[in-house]
Coordinates of all heavy atoms in Angstrom, one line a residue:
M11 N 18.2 -14.5 5.3 CA 17.5 -13.3 4.9 C 16.2 -13.6 4.3 O 16.0 -14.6 3.5 CB 18.4 -12.5 3.9 CG 17.7 -11.3 3.3 SD 18.6 -10.3 2.2 CE 18.9 -11.4 0.8
V12 N 15.1 -12.9 4.7 CA 13.8 -13.1 4.3 C 13.3 -11.8 3.6 O 13.4 -10.7 4.2 CB 12.9 -13.5 5.4 CG1 11.4 -13.7 4.9 CG2 13.4 -14.8 6.1
I13 N 12.6 -12.0 2.5 CA 12.0 -10.8 1.8 C 10.5 -11.0 1.9 O 10.0 -12.0 1.5 CB 12.5 -10.7 0.3 CG1 14.0 -10.6 0.3 CG2 11.8 -9.5 -0.4 CD1 14.5 -10.7 -1.1
G14 N 9.9 -10.0 2.5 CA 8.4 -10.0 2.5 C 7.8 -9.1 1.5 O 8.3 -7.9 1.4
V15 N 6.8 -9.6 0.7 CA 6.2 -8.8 -0.3 C 4.7 -8.8 -0.1 O 4.1 -9.8 0.1 CB 6.5 -9.3 -1.7 CG1 5.8 -8.5 -2.8 CG2 8.0 -9.4 -1.9
G16 N 4.1 -7.6 -0.1 CA 2.7 -7.4 0.0 C 2.1 -6.6 -1.2 O 2.8 -5.7 -1.6
T17 N 1.0 -7.0 -1.6 CA 0.3 -6.2 -2.6 C -1.1 -5.9 -2.1 O -1.8 -6.7 -1.5 CB 0.1 -7.0 -4.0 OG1 -0.5 -8.2 -3.8 CG2 1.5 -7.2 -4.6
A18 N -1.5 -4.6 -2.4 CA -2.8 -4.1 -1.8 C -3.5 -3.5 -3.0 O -3.0 -2.7 -3.7 CB -2.5 -3.1 -0.7
N19 N -4.8 -3.9 -3.1 CA -5.7 -3.2 -4.1 C -6.5 -2.3 -3.3 O -7.2 -2.6 -2.3 CB -6.6 -4.3 -4.8 CG -5.8 -5.1 -5.8 OD1 -5.0 -4.6 -6.5 ND2 -6.0 -6.4 -5.8
L20 N -6.5 -1.0 -3.7 CA -7.2 0.1 -3.0 C -8.3 0.7 -3.8 O -8.2 0.8 -5.0 CB -6.2 1.1 -2.6 CG -4.9 0.7 -1.9 CD1 -4.0 1.9 -1.8 CD2 -5.2 0.0 -0.6
R21 N -9.3 1.2 -3.2 CA -10.4 2.0 -3.8 C -10.4 3.4 -3.2 O -10.4 3.5 -2.0 CB -11.7 1.3 -3.6 CG -12.8 2.1 -4.3 CD -14.0 1.3 -4.6 NE -13.7 -0.1 -4.9 CZ -13.7 -0.7 -6.1 NH1 -14.1 0.0 -7.1 NH2 -13.4 -2.0 -6.3
L22 N -10.3 4.4 -4.1 CA -10.3 5.8 -3.6 C -11.6 6.4 -4.1 O -11.6 7.0 -5.1 CB -9.1 6.5 -4.2 CG -7.7 6.0 -3.8 CD1 -7.3 4.8 -4.6 CD2 -6.7 7.1 -3.9
A23 N -12.6 6.2 -3.3 CA -14.0 6.7 -3.7 C -14.0 8.2 -3.8 O -14.8 8.7 -4.6 CB -15.0 6.2 -2.7
G24 N -13.2 8.9 -3.1 CA -13.3 10.4 -3.1 C -12.5 11.0 -4.2 O -12.6 12.2 -4.4
A25 N -11.7 10.2 -4.9 CA -10.9 10.8 -6.0 C -11.7 11.1 -7.2 O -12.4 10.3 -7.7 CB -9.8 9.8 -6.4
R26 N -11.7 12.4 -7.7 CA -12.4 12.8 -8.8 C -11.6 12.9 -10.1 O -12.1 13.1 -11.2 CB -13.0 14.2 -8.5 CG -13.9 14.2 -7.3 CD -15.3 13.6 -7.7 NE -16.1 13.6 -6.5 CZ -16.7 12.5 -5.9 NH1 -16.4 11.3 -6.4 NH2 -17.4 12.6 -4.9
S27 N -10.2 12.8 -9.9 CA -9.4 12.9 -11.1 C -8.1 12.1 -10.8 O -7.9 11.7 -9.6 CB -9.0 14.3 -11.4 OG -8.2 14.9 -10.3
L28 N -7.3 11.9 -11.8 CA -6.0 11.2 -11.6 C -5.1 12.1 -10.6 O -4.3 11.5 -9.9 CB -5.3 11.0 -12.9 CG -5.9 9.9 -13.8 CD1 -5.2 9.8 -15.1 CD2 -5.9 8.5 -13.1
K29 N -5.2 13.4 -10.7 CA -4.5 14.3 -9.8 C -4.8 14.0 -8.4 O -4.0 13.9 -7.5 CB -4.7 15.7 -10.2 CG -3.8 16.7 -9.5 CD -4.0 18.1 -10.0 CE -3.1 19.1 -9.4 NZ -3.3 20.4 -9.9
D30 N -6.1 13.9 -8.1 CA -6.6 13.5 -6.7 C -6.0 12.2 -6.3 O -5.5 12.0 -5.1 CB -8.1 13.4 -6.6 CG -8.8 14.8 -6.7 OD1 -8.1 15.8 -6.5 OD2 -10.0 14.8 -6.9
K31 N -6.0 11.2 -7.2 CA -5.5 9.9 -6.9 C -4.0 9.9 -6.5 O -3.6 9.4 -5.6 CB -5.8 8.9 -8.0 CG -5.1 7.6 -7.9 CD -5.2 6.8 -9.1 CE -4.4 5.5 -9.0 NZ -4.5 4.7 -10.3
R32 N -3.3 10.6 -7.4 CA -1.8 10.7 -7.2 C -1.5 11.4 -5.8 O -0.6 10.9 -5.1 CB -1.2 11.6 -8.3 CG -0.9 10.8 -9.6 CD 0.0 11.5 -10.5 NE -0.5 12.9 -10.8 CZ -1.3 13.1 -11.9 NH1 -1.7 12.2 -12.6 NH2 -1.7 14.4 -12.1
R33 N -2.2 12.4 -5.4 CA -2.0 13.0 -4.1 C -2.2 12.0 -3.0 O -1.4 11.9 -2.1 CB -3.0 14.2 -4.0 CG -2.8 15.0 -2.7 CD -3.9 16.0 -2.5 NE -5.3 15.4 -2.6 CZ -5.9 14.8 -1.6 NH1 -5.3 14.5 -0.5 NH2 -7.2 14.3 -1.8
V34 N -3.3 11.3 -3.0 CA -3.6 10.3 -1.9 C -2.6 9.2 -1.9 O -2.0 8.9 -0.9 CB -5.0 9.8 -2.1 CG1 -5.3 8.7 -1.1 CG2 -6.0 10.9 -1.9
V35 N -2.3 8.6 -3.1 CA -1.4 7.5 -3.1 C 0.0 7.9 -2.8 O 0.7 7.2 -2.0 CB -1.4 6.8 -4.6 CG1 -0.3 5.8 -4.7 CG2 -2.8 6.2 -4.8
K36 N 0.5 9.0 -3.2 CA 1.8 9.5 -2.9 C 1.9 9.7 -1.4 O 3.0 9.4 -0.8 CB 2.1 10.8 -3.6 CG 3.5 11.3 -3.5 CD 3.8 12.5 -4.4 CE 5.2 12.9 -4.2 NZ 5.5 14.1 -5.1
S37 N 0.9 10.3 -0.7 CA 0.9 10.5 0.7 C 1.0 9.1 1.5 O 1.7 9.0 2.4 CB -0.3 11.2 1.1 OG -0.5 11.3 2.5
I38 N 0.2 8.2 1.0 CA 0.2 6.9 1.7 C 1.6 6.2 1.5 O 2.1 5.6 2.5 CB -0.9 6.0 1.1 CG1 -2.3 6.5 1.6 CG2 -0.7 4.5 1.5 CD1 -3.5 5.9 0.9
L39 N 2.1 6.2 0.3 CA 3.4 5.6 0.1 C 4.5 6.2 1.0 O 5.3 5.5 1.6 CB 3.9 5.7 -1.4 CG 3.0 5.0 -2.4 CD1 3.4 5.2 -3.8 CD2 3.0 3.5 -2.1
A40 N 4.5 7.6 1.1 CA 5.5 8.2 2.0 C 5.3 7.9 3.5 O 6.3 7.6 4.2 CB 5.4 9.7 1.8
R41 N 4.0 7.8 3.9 CA 3.8 7.4 5.3 C 4.2 5.9 5.6 O 4.7 5.6 6.7 CB 2.4 7.7 5.7 CG 2.1 9.2 5.9 CD 0.7 9.5 6.4 NE -0.2 9.3 5.2 CZ -1.4 9.0 5.3 NH1 -2.0 8.8 6.4 NH2 -2.2 8.9 4.2
L42 N 4.0 5.1 4.6 CA 4.4 3.7 4.8 C 5.9 3.6 4.9 O 6.4 2.9 5.8 CB 3.9 2.8 3.6 CG 2.5 2.4 3.5 CD1 2.1 1.8 2.2 CD2 2.0 1.6 4.7
H43 N 6.6 4.3 4.1 CA 8.1 4.3 4.2 C 8.6 4.8 5.5 O 9.4 4.2 6.1 CB 8.6 5.1 3.0 CG 10.1 5.2 3.0 ND1 10.9 4.0 2.8 CD2 11.0 6.2 3.3 CE1 12.2 4.4 2.9 NE2 12.2 5.7 3.2
S44 N 8.0 5.9 5.9 CA 8.5 6.6 7.2 C 8.1 5.8 8.4 O 8.9 5.7 9.4 CB 8.1 8.0 7.3 OG 6.7 8.1 7.5
R45 N 6.9 5.3 8.4 CA 6.4 4.6 9.6 C 6.9 3.2 9.8 O 7.2 2.7 10.9 CB 4.9 4.6 9.6 CG 4.3 4.0 10.9 CD 2.8 4.2 11.0 NE 2.5 5.7 11.0 CZ 1.3 6.2 11.0 NH1 0.3 5.4 11.0 NH2 1.1 7.5 11.1
F46 N 7.0 2.4 8.7 CA 7.4 1.0 8.7 C 8.8 0.7 8.1 O 9.2 -0.5 8.1 CB 6.3 0.2 8.0 CG 5.0 0.3 8.6 CD1 4.0 1.1 8.0 CD2 4.6 -0.2 9.9 CE1 2.7 1.3 8.6 CE2 3.4 -0.1 10.4 CZ 2.4 0.7 9.8
N47 N 9.4 1.7 7.5 CA 10.7 1.5 6.9 C 10.7 0.4 5.8 O 11.5 -0.6 5.8 CB 11.8 1.2 7.9 CG 13.2 1.4 7.4 OD1 13.4 2.1 6.4 ND2 14.2 0.6 7.9
V48 N 9.7 0.5 5.0 CA 9.5 -0.5 3.9 C 9.6 0.3 2.5 O 9.5 1.5 2.5 CB 8.1 -1.2 3.9 CG1 8.0 -2.0 5.2 CG2 7.0 -0.1 3.8
A49 N 9.8 -0.5 1.5 CA 9.8 0.1 0.1 C 8.4 -0.1 -0.4 O 7.8 -1.1 -0.2 CB 10.8 -0.6 -0.8
A50 N 7.8 1.0 -1.0 CA 6.4 0.9 -1.5 C 6.3 1.7 -2.8 O 6.9 2.8 -2.9 CB 5.5 1.4 -0.4
A51 N 5.5 1.2 -3.7 CA 5.3 1.8 -5.0 C 4.0 1.5 -5.6 O 3.4 0.4 -5.3 CB 6.4 1.4 -6.0
E52 N 3.4 2.4 -6.4 CA 2.2 2.1 -7.1 C 2.6 1.2 -8.3 O 3.5 1.5 -9.1 CB 1.5 3.3 -7.6 CG 0.2 3.1 -8.3 CD -0.5 4.4 -8.7 OE1 0.1 5.4 -8.6 OE2 -1.6 4.2 -9.2
V53 N 1.9 0.0 -8.5 CA 2.3 -0.9 -9.5 C 1.2 -1.3 -10.5 O 1.4 -2.0 -11.4 CB 2.9 -2.2 -8.9 CG1 4.1 -1.9 -8.1 CG2 1.8 -2.9 -8.0
G54 N 0.0 -0.8 -10.2 CA -1.1 -1.1 -11.1 C -2.3 -0.1 -11.1 O -2.3 0.8 -10.3
H55 N -3.2 -0.3 -12.0 CA -4.4 0.6 -12.2 C -4.0 2.0 -12.4 O -4.6 2.9 -11.8 CB -5.3 0.4 -11.0 CG -5.8 -1.0 -10.7 ND1 -6.6 -1.7 -11.6 CD2 -5.5 -1.8 -9.7 CE1 -6.8 -2.9 -11.1 NE2 -6.2 -3.0 -9.9
H56 N -3.0 2.3 -13.2 CA -2.5 3.6 -13.4 C -3.5 4.6 -14.1 O -3.5 5.8 -13.8 CB -1.2 3.6 -14.2 CG -0.1 2.9 -13.5 ND1 0.6 3.5 -12.4 CD2 0.5 1.7 -13.7 CE1 1.5 2.6 -12.0 NE2 1.4 1.5 -12.8
D57 N -4.4 4.0 -14.9 CA -5.3 4.9 -15.6 C -6.7 5.1 -14.9 O -7.5 5.9 -15.4 CB -5.6 4.3 -17.0 CG -4.3 4.3 -17.9 OD1 -3.5 5.2 -17.6 OD2 -4.2 3.4 -18.7
S58 N -6.9 4.4 -13.9 CA -8.2 4.5 -13.1 C -8.0 5.5 -12.0 O -7.1 5.4 -11.2 CB -8.6 3.1 -12.6 OG -9.7 3.3 -11.7
H59 N -8.9 6.5 -11.9 CA -8.8 7.5 -10.8 C -9.4 7.0 -9.5 O -9.2 7.7 -8.5 CB -9.3 8.8 -11.3 CG -10.8 8.9 -11.5 ND1 -11.4 8.5 -12.7 CD2 -11.8 9.2 -10.6 CE1 -12.7 8.6 -12.6 NE2 -13.0 9.0 -11.3
Q60 N -10.1 5.9 -9.5 CA -10.6 5.4 -8.2 C -10.1 4.1 -7.7 O -10.5 3.6 -6.7 CB -12.2 5.3 -8.3 CG -12.8 6.7 -8.4 CD -14.3 6.6 -8.2 OE1 -14.9 5.6 -8.5 NE2 -14.9 7.7 -7.7
D61 N -9.1 3.5 -8.5 CA -8.5 2.2 -8.1 C -7.0 2.4 -8.1 O -6.5 3.1 -8.9 CB -8.9 1.1 -9.0 CG -10.4 0.8 -8.9 OD1 -10.9 0.6 -7.8 OD2 -11.0 0.8 -10.0
A62 N -6.3 1.7 -7.2 CA -4.9 1.7 -7.2 C -4.4 0.4 -6.7 O -5.0 -0.3 -5.9 CB -4.3 2.8 -6.3
E63 N -3.2 0.0 -7.1 CA -2.5 -1.2 -6.6 C -1.2 -0.8 -6.2 O -0.4 -0.2 -7.0 CB -2.5 -2.3 -7.7 CG -1.8 -3.6 -7.2 CD -1.8 -4.7 -8.3 OE1 -2.1 -4.4 -9.4 OE2 -1.4 -5.8 -7.9
I64 N -0.8 -1.1 -5.0 CA 0.5 -0.8 -4.5 C 1.2 -2.1 -4.0 O 0.6 -3.1 -3.7 CB 0.5 0.2 -3.3 CG1 -0.3 -0.3 -2.1 CG2 -0.1 1.6 -3.8 CD1 -0.1 0.6 -0.9
A65 N 2.5 -2.1 -4.1 CA 3.3 -3.2 -3.6 C 4.2 -2.7 -2.5 O 4.7 -1.5 -2.5 CB 4.2 -3.7 -4.7
I66 N 4.4 -3.5 -1.5 CA 5.2 -3.2 -0.3 C 6.3 -4.3 -0.2 O 5.9 -5.5 -0.3 CB 4.4 -3.1 1.0 CG1 3.2 -2.1 0.8 CG2 5.2 -2.8 2.2 CD1 1.9 -2.7 0.4
A67 N 7.5 -3.9 0.1 CA 8.6 -4.9 0.3 C 9.4 -4.6 1.6 O 9.6 -3.4 1.9 CB 9.5 -4.9 -0.9
C68 N 9.7 -5.6 2.3 CA 10.6 -5.5 3.5 C 11.6 -6.6 3.5 O 11.3 -7.7 3.0 CB 9.8 -5.4 4.7 SG 8.9 -6.9 5.2
I69 N 12.7 -6.4 4.1 CA 13.8 -7.4 4.3 C 14.0 -7.5 5.8 O 14.1 -6.6 6.5 CB 15.1 -7.0 3.6 CG1 14.8 -6.8 2.1 CG2 16.2 -8.0 3.8 CD1 16.0 -6.3 1.3
S70 N 14.1 -8.8 6.2 CA 14.3 -9.1 7.6 C 15.2 -10.3 7.7 O 15.4 -11.1 6.8 CB 13.0 -9.3 8.3 OG 13.2 -9.6 9.7
T71 N 15.7 -10.6 8.9 CA 16.4 -11.8 9.2 C 15.5 -13.0 9.6 O 16.0 -14.1 9.6 CB 17.5 -11.6 10.3 OG1 16.8 -11.1 11.5 CG2 18.5 -10.5 9.9
A72 N 14.3 -12.7 9.9 CA 13.3 -13.7 10.3 C 12.0 -13.6 9.6 O 11.5 -12.4 9.5 CB 13.1 -13.7 11.8
G73 N 11.4 -14.7 9.2 CA 10.2 -14.6 8.5 C 9.0 -14.1 9.4 O 8.2 -13.4 8.9
S74 N 9.1 -14.4 10.7 CA 8.0 -13.9 11.6 C 8.1 -12.4 11.7 O 7.0 -11.7 11.8 CB 8.2 -14.5 13.0 OG 9.4 -14.2 13.6
H75 N 9.3 -11.8 11.7 CA 9.4 -10.3 11.8 C 8.8 -9.7 10.5 O 8.1 -8.7 10.5 CB 10.8 -9.9 12.0 CG 11.0 -8.5 12.1 ND1 11.6 -7.7 11.2 CD2 10.6 -7.6 13.1 CE1 11.6 -6.4 11.6 NE2 11.0 -6.3 12.7
A76 N 9.2 -10.3 9.3 CA 8.7 -9.8 8.0 C 7.1 -9.9 8.0 O 6.4 -9.0 7.5 CB 9.3 -10.5 6.9
D77 N 6.6 -11.0 8.5 CA 5.2 -11.2 8.6 C 4.5 -10.1 9.5 O 3.4 -9.6 9.2 CB 4.9 -12.6 9.2 CG 3.8 -13.3 8.4 OD1 3.5 -12.9 7.3 OD2 3.4 -14.4 8.8
Q78 N 5.2 -9.8 10.6 CA 4.6 -8.8 11.5 C 4.6 -7.4 10.9 O 3.6 -6.6 11.0 CB 5.5 -8.7 12.8 CG 5.3 -9.8 13.7 CD 6.3 -9.8 14.9 OE1 7.2 -9.0 14.9 NE2 6.0 -10.6 15.9
I79 N 5.6 -7.1 10.1 CA 5.7 -5.8 9.4 C 4.6 -5.7 8.4 O 3.8 -4.7 8.3 CB 7.1 -5.6 8.8 CG1 8.2 -5.4 9.8 CG2 7.0 -4.4 7.8 CD1 9.6 -5.4 9.3
L80 N 4.4 -6.8 7.6 CA 3.4 -6.7 6.6 C 2.0 -6.7 7.2 O 1.0 -6.1 6.6 CB 3.5 -7.9 5.6 CG 4.8 -7.8 4.8 CD1 5.0 -9.1 4.0 CD2 4.8 -6.6 3.9
A81 N 1.8 -7.4 8.3 CA 0.5 -7.3 9.0 C 0.2 -5.9 9.6 O -0.9 -5.4 9.5 CB 0.5 -8.3 10.2
A82 N 1.3 -5.2 10.1 CA 1.1 -3.9 10.5 C 0.8 -2.9 9.4 O 0.0 -2.0 9.5 CB 2.4 -3.4 11.2
V83 N 1.4 -3.1 8.2 CA 1.0 -2.3 7.0 C -0.4 -2.5 6.7 O -1.1 -1.6 6.4 CB 2.0 -2.7 5.9 CG1 1.5 -2.1 4.5 CG2 3.4 -2.2 6.1
Q84 N -0.9 -3.8 6.7 CA -2.3 -4.1 6.4 C -3.2 -3.3 7.4 O -4.2 -2.7 7.0 CB -2.6 -5.6 6.5 CG -4.0 -5.9 6.1 CD -4.3 -7.4 6.2 OE1 -3.4 -8.2 6.6 NE2 -5.5 -7.8 5.8
G85 N -2.9 -3.4 8.7 CA -3.7 -2.6 9.7 C -3.7 -1.2 9.4 O -4.8 -0.5 9.5
F86 N -2.6 -0.6 9.0 CA -2.5 0.8 8.7 C -3.4 1.2 7.5 O -4.2 2.1 7.5 CB -1.0 1.2 8.4 CG -0.9 2.6 7.8 CD1 -0.8 3.7 8.6 CD2 -0.7 2.8 6.4 CE1 -0.7 5.0 8.1 CE2 -0.6 4.0 5.9 CZ -0.6 5.1 6.7
L87 N -3.4 0.3 6.5 CA -4.2 0.6 5.3 C -5.7 0.4 5.6 O -6.5 1.2 5.0 CB -3.8 -0.4 4.1 CG -2.4 -0.1 3.5 CD1 -2.0 -1.2 2.6 CD2 -2.3 1.2 2.9
E88 N -6.0 -0.5 6.4 CA -7.4 -0.7 6.8 C -8.0 0.5 7.6 O -9.1 0.8 7.5 CB -7.6 -2.0 7.6 CG -7.5 -3.3 6.8 CD -7.4 -4.5 7.6 OE1 -7.2 -4.5 8.8 OE2 -7.7 -5.6 7.0
A89 N -7.1 1.1 8.4 CA -7.5 2.2 9.2 C -7.5 3.6 8.5 O -8.0 4.6 9.0 CB -6.6 2.3 10.4
E90 N -6.9 3.6 7.3 CA -6.7 4.8 6.5 C -8.1 5.3 6.1 O -8.9 4.6 5.4 CB -5.8 4.6 5.3 CG -5.6 5.9 4.5 CD -5.0 7.0 5.3 OE1 -4.1 6.8 6.1 OE2 -5.4 8.1 5.0
G91 N -8.5 6.6 6.3 CA -9.8 7.1 6.1 C -10.1 7.4 4.6 O -11.2 7.4 4.2
E92 N -9.1 7.7 3.8 CA -9.3 8.2 2.4 C -9.4 7.0 1.4 O -9.8 7.2 0.3 CB -8.2 9.1 2.0 CG -8.2 10.4 2.7 CD -7.1 11.3 2.1 OE1 -5.9 11.2 2.4 OE2 -7.5 12.2 1.2
I93 N -9.1 5.8 1.9 CA -9.1 4.6 1.0 C -9.9 3.5 1.6 O -10.2 3.4 2.8 CB -7.7 4.2 0.7 CG1 -7.0 3.7 2.0 CG2 -6.9 5.2 0.0 CD1 -5.8 2.9 1.7
E94 N -10.2 2.5 0.7 CA -10.8 1.3 1.2 C -9.9 0.2 0.7 O -9.5 0.1 -0.5 CB -12.2 1.1 0.5 CG -12.8 -0.3 0.8 CD -14.1 -0.5 0.0 OE1 -14.6 0.4 -0.7 OE2 -14.5 -1.7 0.0
L95 N -9.5 -0.7 1.6 CA -8.6 -1.8 1.2 C -9.5 -2.9 0.7 O -10.3 -3.5 1.4 CB -7.8 -2.3 2.5 CG -6.8 -3.4 2.3 CD1 -5.7 -3.0 1.3 CD2 -6.2 -3.9 3.6
V96 N -9.4 -3.2 -0.6 CA -10.2 -4.2 -1.3 C -9.6 -5.6 -1.1 O -10.3 -6.5 -0.8 CB -10.4 -3.8 -2.8 CG1 -11.2 -4.9 -3.5 CG2 -11.0 -2.5 -2.9
A97 N -8.3 -5.7 -1.3 CA -7.6 -7.0 -1.2 C -6.2 -6.8 -0.7 O -5.6 -5.7 -1.1 CB -7.6 -7.7 -2.5
Y98 N -5.6 -7.7 0.0 CA -4.2 -7.6 0.5 C -3.6 -9.0 0.5 O -4.2 -10.0 1.1 CB -4.2 -7.0 1.9 CG -2.8 -6.7 2.4 CD1 -2.1 -5.6 1.9 CD2 -2.2 -7.5 3.4 CE1 -0.8 -5.3 2.4 CE2 -1.0 -7.2 3.8 CZ -0.3 -6.1 3.3 OH 1.0 -5.8 3.8
H99 N -2.5 -9.2 -0.2 CA -1.9 -10.5 -0.3 C -0.4 -10.4 0.1 O 0.2 -9.4 -0.2 CB -1.9 -11.1 -1.7 CG -3.3 -11.2 -2.2 ND1 -4.2 -12.2 -1.8 CD2 -4.0 -10.4 -3.1 CE1 -5.4 -12.0 -2.4 NE2 -5.3 -10.9 -3.2
T100 N 0.1 -11.3 0.9 CA 1.5 -11.3 1.3 C 2.2 -12.6 0.8 O 1.6 -13.6 0.7 CB 1.7 -11.1 2.8 OG1 1.1 -12.3 3.5 CG2 1.0 -9.9 3.3
E101 N 3.5 -12.5 0.7 CA 4.3 -13.6 0.3 C 5.7 -13.4 0.9 O 6.2 -12.3 0.9 CB 4.4 -13.7 -1.2 CG 5.2 -14.9 -1.7 CD 5.2 -15.0 -3.2 OE1 4.5 -14.2 -3.9 OE2 5.9 -15.9 -3.7
L102 N 6.3 -14.5 1.5 CA 7.7 -14.4 2.0 C 8.5 -15.2 1.0 O 8.2 -16.3 0.6 CB 7.7 -15.1 3.4 CG 6.9 -14.4 4.5 CD1 7.1 -15.1 5.8 CD2 7.3 -12.9 4.6
L103 N 9.7 -14.6 0.7 CA 10.6 -15.2 -0.3 C 11.9 -15.6 0.5 O 12.3 -14.9 1.3 CB 10.9 -14.3 -1.4 CG 9.7 -13.7 -2.2 CD1 10.2 -12.7 -3.2 CD2 9.0 -14.8 -2.9

């Protein structure tokens, strides 16, 4: 069993309030879960309305498969129009 963990730092330039930020982040987390079948949560920058940090986790039987899932998540976040992906790090456990 392999656990893949990814952390993403996001910039939400269009967010004018924490309420705007919550709407965008909640939508992204829901789409990550439904599209890639991963667990995802906001884990940092809770008080900033233009920055967010999310964590993504997946479980697989092969490291290459977990790596593919996390790479697909990165591609999804890079293509998302409402956010800018500032940094993305992955780790296999």
Side-chain angles (χ1 to χ4, degrees):
M11 174 175 63
V12 177
I13 301 169
V15 178
T17 56
N19 289 316
L20 310 174
R21 181 157 328 251
L22 296 83
R26 301 285 180 236
S27 66
L28 289 174
K29 188 175 182 178
D30 286 344
K31 173 189 171 180
R32 280 194 303 270
R33 178 189 55 80
V34 172
V35 171
K36 188 174 181 178
S37 171
I38 289 170
L39 295 176
R41 286 185 283 153
L42 286 172
H43 177 68
S44 69
R45 187 171 296 179
F46 301 104
N47 197 25
V48 296
E52 184 178 5
V53 296
H55 303 295
H56 296 287
D57 294 332
S58 170
H59 66 275
Q60 291 192 331
D61 296 307
E63 182 179 6
I64 62 171
I66 301 99
C68 66
I69 298 175
S70 180
T71 57
S74 60
H75 183 250
D77 227 11
Q78 288 174 346
I79 292 170
L80 293 174
V83 167
Q84 180 180 5
F86 171 81
L87 292 173
E88 288 173 341
E90 181 58 39
E92 290 186 279
I93 63 165
E94 174 189 348
L95 182 61
V96 177
Y98 187 76
H99 304 284
T100 62
E101 184 178 353
L102 299 180
L103 308 172

